[in-house]
Amino acid sequence: MPRLSKHARDQMAARKITEADVRSALNRRSGQPRVANNGKIVVLGYASRGRILKLVLTPDQEEIITLAWPDE
């Protein structure tokens, strides 16, 4: 699993997202990752409870910059 930035960890705490949710979303992706216009990689995947989670990673996919429930 890519490392989590401090911002991503803060967002996890604020949004009640667990590391299991993140791992699940990375392993159970919904579609292909897309490249944002700033070069960052956007991934949508199914969290551990079946809810879609949006992850934004660095271009090398070594770090998760931020994450969110898209429906919030």
Side-chain angles (χ1 to χ4, degrees):
M1 184 169 97
R3 68 183 172 274
L4 294 157
S5 70
K6 180 184 180 324
H7 178 75
R9 288 188 182 280
D10 291 344
Q11 294 303 303
M12 288 171 67
R15 296 181 166 125
K16 297 182 172 90
I17 298 170
T18 66
E19 284 195 32
D21 288 325
V22 175
R23 274 192 299 279
S24 178
L26 289 169
N27 291 328
R28 297 174 50 216
R29 295 181 181 195
S30 173
Q32 294 296 315
R34 68 177 175 83
V35 179
N37 54 359
N38 57 9
K40 294 177 181 146
I41 307 298
V42 179
V43 172
L44 296 176
Y46 291 95
S48 56
R49 295 166 294 220
R51 191 172 175 191
I52 291 284
L53 182 62
K54 177 182 176 181
L55 306 150
V56 179
L57 296 94
T58 55
D60 61 8
Q61 298 187 44
E62 297 276 325
E63 183 176 39
I64 298 170
I65 300 166
T66 192
L67 38 78
W69 302 116
D71 58 355
E72 287 186 353

